[in-house]
């Protein structure tokens, strides 16, 4: 994660030097954290022990933040952010901490904060490719894919081997409607040996959208083994299986993606995930001709997000097949207004017409 | 010492189980220890949270309440802080007959005009910052905080600007307290701050369906540093947060407690943070603090996880002379009791000490106090969820919740809520909580500030036992002796306490020290170590009195 990035900006005010003994312990912990998942778990108590001796060691706070984020649980995201913020507060020049902090802001959907962090870091280390890449991704999330593409190109110019910049470039291309180029960029990243689950998630989704279902399934199945973001990946994998007609496999993936009852969170990311899960379950049940179950799942998705066009579209088809034509027309109109009109043949059966085609349909 | 404490506790238990004859008829059912007297006390205040469809987070954290004898008539008056912009605080004068009179307007402490008109008011601290013998009031807010100087004639003057303690206009300040951290004889001010939050940055959280919008998790917002204001001794303060070492920007402070955790005579600061680790600022004695939470083992729960800390208090639960730390937390988290092992180290003993029933509710205000005067500290917790429509998401959760009352039995706790009468069976949205002996009858009463609801004044009618209330008058030390260590030896047991009104959530307690004495008929020895370092010993003190002790 810190390849090519010096921990501290040379231009920043020097922080108090870390005592040699503590520095040696920190070096060992850093090797642990970037070694294995077990290493991360073991690093946490060791870092707490180091901080018990000196609570003002910025690098220890940074590594603890990295470790917490590496554990991948939502419950520790806030603490990861807290440790990284304390690291930056103790040593404003510790740019590596700012990089990780920006990543945590991505996790939390706080893209403006990520942009701020990357911008501040770039003032300390102008042109640093990793921060250019992070800034690019923040801009993409903030709806500026053209600027994102430009920034990621700059990052690649500064460091052609930086997979993060290529990954973000791929996403920017997809957002700009240049899907095939985006897929190619993401494939270069995975072919380069990167094993980040989010790369496989986005690659798989783009391949599914492109109708390359076998490639999508291969990418997503690999990503699902990587330990984090597995629920999102499994929902996407279920979609690919459904479109391929492997309905039993799709069902299995949705079962695996279902969270424990009662584990409700209030983050927008969680709610998007639950909406996606219900939508996909509804569309699968529709494909299985289990119409009441399909209606129930799609209604659940709409409860979570009334503006989810594909769910309205699916529900319109359910009602059509149930012979509930007024309700089907109502849902079809809603779907069309949300940019997900029914396919022409279904519109014909319903006796309605909508402008445009089903570009943003449930596929 | 533990054995002697046990003895007192066992005696206390026996008395609890069998009320004294002569107080009630033989065989009569035990009266509940706490009885709702809100209406008969003529308290009509209703908290306004400012709840809106926009679900601003600041609407969901309620406000605090303070006991203070603002007119020095010997009886504790009551100040409720109100939340919504434009809403008025309420100061109630104690009429000494069990009733109160609203004197807010005359006192000039409404806090809803001028620079404060748009604030959401939150917490309250009480202390005599100018050592004139009258208690002053500091009110925190999402917006500028307010310092009210007590004029000594039943009115207050807003001296915030002169004193320089408003904080930043964007601060979301919460719990707060006066203490003399530098032992210079005047009271300084600690202010916990919660989130770096703006009404204009208010993401939509929850499902998109109408009625499902919910208050967001604090995780998505950044923390913000607490503030420490050093009293300059001339009516002004200096913000020394950074140089003192308490300006951690990752903090999401909701609760603050003061106590001397390591017995060095200096007041330390514990901060309960929401969803990030808690802080324990050890007072270095040179104007600075060091956060020792990692080494002390009080930053996380026993499994090493950060919790959603809300309210907090500290006190000697087990009679070993060292203060434990107690923190209330979110639902599906235990309220945590950290046992003080000495040498500024602690152990999470929550699960093994009888506090498992705290796992379900969402705890806020809390106080360790001797409810039944049996010589040990019991626990009251006010509960209530932060998400008003939580049942749409978790049918098993409730916005309004019952409180928890734990009786201390030899250093372990028994949940006695269900057996404590009807007042404790009603579900409310509990937030601030404070205790005081408002009727001077020798036991501690409780007031709970509920969010968006009327408060709850609970009169203590536990069976009579011996007690002593100490009103400290400092000379070299601050005027009310805050931070003094008090050792009370009576009935073969020794209790170690501190004079300290800061604890709970957003609230301030009786500034007098109340000590339950069980069946003791005399206090053999009373030793006060004042913040100035002066040690004072009284012997053969009669119990069942409010004793004014002046610093020699």
């Amino acid at each position: 994660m810190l390849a090519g990035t010096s921990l501290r900006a040379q231009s920043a005010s020097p922080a108090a030097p870390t005592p040699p003994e503590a520095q040696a312990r920190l070096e060992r912990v850093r090797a642990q954290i970037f070694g294995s998942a077990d290493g991360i778990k073991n690093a946490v108590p060791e870092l707490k022990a180091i901080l018990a001796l000196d609570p003002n060691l910025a690098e220890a706070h940074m590594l603890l933040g990295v470790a917490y984020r590496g554990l991948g649980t939502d419950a520790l995201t806030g603490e990861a952010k807290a440790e990284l913020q304390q690291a930056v507060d103790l040593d404003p020049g510790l740019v590596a901490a700012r990089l990780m902090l920006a990543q945590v802001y991505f996790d939390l959907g706080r893209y403006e904060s990520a942009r701020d962090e990357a911008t501040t870091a770039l003032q300390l280390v102008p042109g640093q490719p990793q921060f250019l890449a992070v800034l690019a991704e923040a801009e993409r999330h903030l709806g500026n894919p053209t600027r994102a593409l430009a920034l990621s190109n700059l990052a690649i110019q500064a460091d052609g081997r930086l997979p993060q910049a290529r990954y973000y470039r791929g996403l920017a291309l997809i957002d700009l409607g240049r899907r095939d180029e985006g897929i190619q960029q993401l494939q270069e990243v995975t072919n380069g040996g990167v094993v980040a689950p989010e790369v496989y998630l986005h690659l798989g989704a783009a391949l599914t959208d492109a109708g390359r279902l076998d490639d999508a399934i291969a990418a997503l199945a690999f990503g699902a083994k990587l330990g984090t973001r597995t629920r999102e990946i499994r929902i996407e994998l279920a979609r690919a299986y459904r479109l391929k007609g492997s309905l039993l496999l799709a069902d299995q993936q949705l079962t695996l993606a279902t969270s424990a009852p009662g584990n409700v969170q209030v983050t927008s990311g969680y709610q998007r995930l639950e909406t996606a899960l219900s939508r996909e379950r509804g569309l699968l049940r529709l494909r299985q001709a289990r119409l009441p179950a399909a209606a129930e799942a799609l209604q659940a998705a709409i409860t979570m997000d009334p503006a989810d066009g594909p769910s309205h579209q699916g529900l319109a088809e359910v009602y059509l097949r149930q012979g509930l034509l007024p309700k089907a027309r109502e849902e079809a109109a809603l779907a069309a207004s949300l940019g997900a009109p029914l396919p022409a043949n279904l519109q014909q059966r319903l006796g309605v017409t909508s402008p445009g085609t089903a570009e943003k349909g449930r596929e | 010492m533990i054995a002697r404490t046990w003895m007192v506790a066992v005696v206390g238990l026996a008395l609890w189980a069998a009320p004294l004859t002569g107080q009630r008829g033989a065989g009569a059912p035990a009266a509940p220890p706490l009885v709702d007297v809100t209406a008969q006390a003529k308290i009509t205040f209703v908290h306004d949270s400012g709840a809106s469809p926009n679900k601003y987070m600041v609407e969901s954290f309620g406000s605090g309440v303070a006991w203070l004898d603002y007119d020095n008539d010997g009886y504790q008056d009551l100040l409720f802080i109100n939340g919504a912009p434009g809403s008025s605080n309420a100061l109630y004068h104690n009429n000494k007959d069990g009733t109160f009179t609203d004197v807010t307007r005359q006192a000039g402490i409404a806090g809803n005009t001028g620079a404060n008109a748009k604030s959401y008011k939150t917490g309250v601290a009480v202390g005599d910052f100018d050592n004139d013998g009258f208690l002053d009031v500091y009110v925190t807010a999402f917006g500028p905080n307010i310092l009210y100087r007590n004029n000594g004639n039943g009115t207050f003057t807003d001296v915030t600007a002169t004193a320089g303690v408003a904080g930043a206009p964007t601060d979301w300040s919460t719990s707060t307290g006066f203490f003399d951290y530098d032992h210079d004889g005047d009271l300084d001010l600690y202010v916990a701050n919660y989130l770096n939050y703006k009404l204009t940055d208010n993401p939509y959280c929850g499902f998109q369906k109408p009625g499902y919008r919910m208050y967001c998790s604090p995780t998505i917002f950044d923390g913000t540093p607490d503030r420490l204001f050093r009293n300059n001794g001339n009516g002004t303060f200096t913000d020394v947060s950074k140089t003192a070492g308490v300006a951690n920007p990752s903090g999401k402070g909701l609760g603050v407690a003061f106590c001397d955790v390591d017995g060095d005579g200096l007041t330390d600061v514990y901060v309960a943070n929401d969803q990030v680790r808690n802080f324990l600022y050890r007072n270095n004695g040179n104007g600075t603090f060091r956060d020792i939470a990692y080494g002390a083992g009080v930053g996380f729960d026993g499994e090493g996880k950060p919790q959603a800390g809300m309210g907090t208090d500290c006190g000697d639960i087990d009679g070993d002379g060292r203060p434990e730390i107690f923190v209330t937390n979110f639902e599906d988290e235990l309220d945590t009791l950290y046992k003080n092992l000495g040498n500024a180290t602690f152990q999470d003993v929550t699960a093994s000490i009888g506090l498992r029933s705290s796992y379900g509710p969402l705890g806020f205000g809390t106080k360790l106090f001797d409810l039944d005067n049996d010589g040990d500290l019991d626990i009251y917790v006010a509960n209530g969820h932060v998400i008003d429509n939580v049942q749409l998401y978790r049918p098993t959760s409730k916005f309004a919740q019952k409180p928890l009352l734990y009786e201390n039995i030899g250093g372990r706790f028994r949940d006695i809520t269900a057996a404590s009468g009807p007042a404790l069976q009603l579900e409310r949205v509990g937030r601030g909580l404070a205790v005081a002996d408002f009727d001077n009858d020798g036991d501690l009463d409780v007031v709970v500030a509920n969010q968006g609801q009327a408060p709850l004044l609970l009169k203590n009618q536990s069976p009579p036992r011996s007690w002593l209330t100490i009103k400290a008058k400092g000379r070299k030390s601050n005027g009310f002796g805050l931070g003094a260590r008090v050792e009370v030896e009576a009935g073969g047991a020794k209790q170690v306490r501190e004079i300290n009104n800061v604890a709970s959530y957003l609230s301030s307690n009786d500034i007098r020290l109340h000590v339950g004495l069980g069946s003791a008929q005399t206090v053999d020895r009373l030793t006060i170590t004042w913040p100035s370092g002066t040690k004072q010993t009284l012997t053969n003190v009669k119990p069942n009195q409010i004793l004014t002790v002046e610093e020699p």
Side-chain angles (χ1 to χ4, degrees):
Chain A
M1 73 112 194
L2 304 173
T5 304
S6 170
L7 286 179
R8 294 198 72 259
Q10 297 303 313
S11 58
S13 305
T18 305
E21 190 180 331
Q23 191 61 48
R25 288 179 79 177
L26 287 173
E27 296 294 342
R28 285 196 296 274
V29 175
R30 190 182 298 116
Q32 271 185 315
I33 288 176
F34 298 111
S36 67
D38 278 347
I40 292 178
K41 281 183 191 166
N42 296 334
V44 170
E46 172 67 359
L47 286 163
K48 286 182 180 176
I50 292 170
L51 286 166
L53 294 173
D54 185 352
N56 293 324
L57 284 179
E59 193 177 343
H61 285 289
M62 180 188 74
L63 291 173
L64 193 50
V66 171
Y68 281 137
R69 181 167 184 263
L71 289 172
T73 65
D74 292 327
L76 288 174
T77 303
E79 186 62 20
K81 178 157 64 104
E83 294 295 344
L84 292 163
Q85 286 173 319
Q86 195 170 358
V88 168
D89 183 61
L90 290 165
D91 185 354
L94 195 61
V95 288
R98 293 189 185 277
L99 185 66
M100 291 307 300
L101 190 51
Q103 300 284 0
V104 174
Y105 284 130
F106 283 158
D107 297 342
L108 293 168
R110 303 291 281 176
Y111 304 113
E112 288 183 5
S113 297
R115 179 172 64 184
D116 292 347
E117 211 56 61
T119 303
T120 302
L122 282 166
Q123 288 165 359
L124 292 166
V125 283
Q128 208 285 333
Q130 281 176 292
F131 284 113
L132 285 170
V134 167
L135 187 57
E137 179 64 352
E139 292 288 359
R140 184 183 75 84
H141 278 290
L142 291 167
N144 306 316
T146 304
R147 178 160 163 73
L149 183 62
L151 285 163
S152 56
N153 283 338
L154 279 176
I156 291 167
Q157 280 172 24
D159 183 353
R161 296 166 303 168
L162 190 63
Q164 199 179 15
R166 294 187 176 278
Y167 165 50
Y168 294 147
R169 182 174 186 274
L171 298 182
L173 287 166
I174 291 169
D175 277 12
L176 287 165
R178 295 158 63 179
R179 187 169 60 206
D180 290 345
E181 289 175 76
I183 287 173
Q184 188 180 349
Q185 185 72 81
L186 295 179
Q187 284 176 324
E188 283 178 22
V189 174
T190 57
N191 291 341
V194 168
V195 288
E198 58 266 33
V199 181
Y200 286 90
L201 171 64
H202 286 110
L203 174 59
L207 288 165
T208 303
D209 290 341
R212 295 167 56 182
L213 298 178
D214 288 335
D215 290 341
I217 288 166
L220 292 164
F222 184 84
K225 294 176 186 167
L226 297 178
T228 58
R229 302 190 72 168
T230 50
R231 292 189 67 207
E232 290 167 271
I233 293 173
R234 290 193 187 286
I235 294 169
E236 201 56 46
L237 191 49
R239 182 169 76 105
Y241 277 131
R242 171 174 58 83
L243 293 173
K244 195 183 176 203
S246 304
L247 304 188
L248 192 60
L249 292 172
D251 226 344
Q252 286 174 354
Q253 291 303 320
L254 291 181
T255 301
L256 290 169
T258 303
S259 65
N263 183 25
V264 175
Q265 297 161 27
V266 294
T267 61
S268 56
Y270 171 85
Q271 284 139 21
R272 275 198 302 273
L273 199 59
E274 289 296 308
T275 304
L277 180 63
S278 288
R279 180 204 310 129
E280 187 53 39
R281 180 174 288 125
L283 296 176
L284 178 61
R285 298 289 175 260
L286 174 58
R287 184 75 186 266
Q288 292 167 327
R290 295 168 58 185
L291 300 182
E296 185 182 349
L298 291 166
Q299 282 163 348
I302 290 167
T303 291
M304 291 180 263
D305 184 0
D308 190 59
S311 292
H312 285 288
Q313 187 195 63
L315 194 54
E317 185 174 346
V318 171
Y319 288 146
L320 174 63
R321 290 169 66 172
Q322 289 178 322
L324 305 171
L325 297 186
K327 291 174 77 171
R329 288 192 188 99
E330 188 181 331
E331 289 298 328
L334 278 168
S337 71
L338 294 166
L342 260 67
N345 61 325
L346 296 182
Q347 288 189 29
Q348 199 170 13
R349 285 175 59 190
L350 266 181
V352 297
T353 53
S354 299
T357 56
E359 272 298 310
K360 290 178 70 176
R362 63 178 180 268
E363 300 255 301
Chain B
M1 187 189 300
I2 290 174
R4 281 182 298 187
T5 305
W6 259 101
M7 186 181 71
V8 171
V10 170
V11 170
L13 179 61
L15 289 170
W16 179 269
L20 292 172
T21 54
Q23 299 301 314
R24 297 184 196 88
L34 293 168
V35 178
D36 180 358
V37 296
T38 317
Q40 72 189 66
K42 299 185 177 173
I43 290 170
T44 56
F45 172 78
V46 177
H47 179 260
D48 181 358
S49 67
S52 74
N54 295 320
K55 300 286 180 184
Y56 296 124
M57 279 192 71
V58 69
E59 300 165 357
S60 67
F61 283 81
S63 305
V65 57
W67 290 108
L68 74 161
D69 179 8
Y70 75 95
D71 55 355
N72 283 346
D73 67 354
Y75 278 76
Q76 297 292 305
D77 310 298
L78 197 45
L79 174 62
F80 293 100
I81 304 304
N82 213 341
S87 66
S88 171
N89 301 325
L91 177 63
Y92 282 94
H93 178 256
N94 189 331
N95 300 325
K96 307 179 188 177
D97 60 358
T99 68
F100 291 79
T101 300
D102 187 338
V103 295
T104 314
R105 182 171 292 180
Q106 303 92 297
I109 202 166
N112 58 352
T113 56
N116 311 111
K118 293 181 179 175
S119 298
Y120 290 80
K121 297 176 291 295
T122 54
V124 57
V126 172
D128 180 12
F129 80 89
D130 51 3
N131 279 332
D132 66 351
F134 289 91
L135 288 169
D136 309 297
V137 173
Y138 185 70
V139 177
T140 57
F142 176 61
N145 302 326
I146 317 165
L147 178 62
Y148 290 106
R149 186 172 58 77
N150 189 330
N151 300 321
N153 61 359
T155 68
F156 291 82
T157 300
D158 180 345
V159 295
T160 314
T162 310
V165 290
T170 53
D171 281 355
W172 180 348
S173 300
T174 56
S175 291
T176 178
F178 286 102
F179 71 136
D180 184 9
Y181 80 96
D182 51 2
H183 282 195
D184 64 353
D186 55 32
L187 290 175
D188 312 295
L189 189 54
Y190 192 94
V191 185
N193 285 326
Y194 185 39
L195 299 179
N196 182 2
Y197 178 79
K198 300 178 186 71
L199 297 181
T200 51
D201 179 17
N202 184 47
Y204 189 105
C205 291
F207 300 146
Q208 298 285 332
K209 190 175 180 180
Y212 278 68
R213 185 170 188 178
M214 64 160 72
Y215 294 107
C216 291
S217 164
T219 301
I220 64 174
F221 298 101
D222 290 343
T224 190
D226 294 345
R227 291 186 190 274
L228 175 62
F229 294 103
R230 185 171 55 77
N231 191 331
N232 300 322
N234 60 359
T236 69
F237 291 74
T238 301
D239 185 342
V240 295
S241 320
K242 193 80 179 171
T243 53
V246 299
N248 187 333
S250 68
K252 298 180 178 179
L254 287 176
V256 172
F258 297 150
C259 55
D260 179 7
V261 298
D262 51 3
D264 64 356
L266 300 165
T267 302
D268 309 299
V269 180
Y270 187 76
V271 182
N273 288 307
D274 190 4
Q275 296 197 353
V276 298
R277 70 176 178 87
N278 302 321
F279 304 149
L280 175 54
Y281 289 118
R282 187 185 204 169
N283 191 332
N284 295 324
N286 60 358
T288 68
F289 293 80
R290 179 183 173 97
D291 179 8
I292 61 166
Y294 286 107
V298 293
F300 306 86
D301 69 4
E303 295 179 354
K305 295 175 185 165
Q307 296 180 295
M310 306 288 174
T312 183
D313 193 8
C314 48
D316 181 12
I317 292 293
D318 51 13
D320 66 358
R322 295 187 290 255
E324 275 67 49
I325 295 174
F326 182 68
V327 188
T328 59
N329 291 306
F330 208 71
E331 67 178 347
D332 296 348
E333 293 177 340
L334 291 166
D335 293 341
T336 308
L337 183 70
Y338 298 100
K339 176 178 168 51
N340 192 330
L341 304 175
N343 296 320
T345 59
F346 292 77
Q347 180 184 5
D348 177 354
V349 296
T350 311
S352 64
I353 208 166
L355 297 172
R356 286 180 187 272
S357 60
S358 67
Y359 186 76
L362 198 168
F364 273 97
T366 189
K367 189 76 187 91
L368 310 178
F369 69 109
D370 192 351
L371 171 76
D372 48 1
N373 280 340
D374 67 348
D376 55 29
L377 298 177
D378 311 295
I379 305 176
Y380 191 108
V381 181
N383 294 309
H385 212 287
V386 290
I387 300 173
D388 54 353
N389 55 358
V390 64
Q391 278 195 298
L392 295 174
Y393 292 86
R394 290 189 62 167
T396 55
S397 295
K398 289 181 174 179
F399 184 39
Q401 301 177 352
K402 290 180 190 174
L404 285 167
L405 182 60
Y406 292 103
E407 184 190 5
N408 187 336
I409 303 173
R412 291 178 53 81
F413 290 95
R414 184 174 58 144
D415 182 347
I416 60 168
T417 315
S420 294
L424 274 65
Q425 311 315 312
L426 293 176
E427 294 169 339
R428 296 177 176 84
V429 187
R431 293 290 187 266
L433 177 153
V435 304
D437 181 6
F438 81 85
D439 46 6
N440 286 344
D441 67 347
D443 51 32
L444 288 170
D445 311 293
V446 178
V447 65
V448 181
N450 299 306
Q451 178 183 309
Q453 299 174 327
L456 181 64
L457 178 60
L458 296 167
K459 176 173 163 49
N460 190 335
Q461 55 176 37
S462 297
R465 292 195 179 96
S466 296
W467 55 276
L468 181 67
T469 295
I470 298 164
K471 184 177 179 185
K473 291 188 79 169
R475 291 182 184 279
K476 280 182 285 183
S477 305
N478 65 86
F480 285 79
L482 287 173
R485 173 188 167 100
V486 179
E487 297 177 11
V488 180
E489 297 174 59
K494 181 161 86 172
Q495 298 181 56
V496 179
R497 303 282 183 259
E498 290 176 37
I499 295 177
N500 169 22
N501 64 346
V502 179
S504 186
Y505 171 76
L506 307 178
S507 299
S508 184
N509 302 279
D510 195 333
I511 205 163
R512 304 169 302 180
L513 175 66
H514 178 94
V515 184
L517 299 171
S519 58
Q521 296 303 307
T522 188
V523 174
D524 304 316
R525 183 183 296 268
L526 177 64
T527 307
I528 301 177
T529 307
W530 294 84
S532 64
T534 302
K535 207 165 192 172
Q536 182 177 14
T537 301
L538 307 175
T539 56
N540 296 321
V541 176
K542 284 185 184 175
N544 306 325
Q545 64 165 323
I546 298 169
L547 178 69
T548 300
V549 182
E550 291 195 25
E551 184 178 13

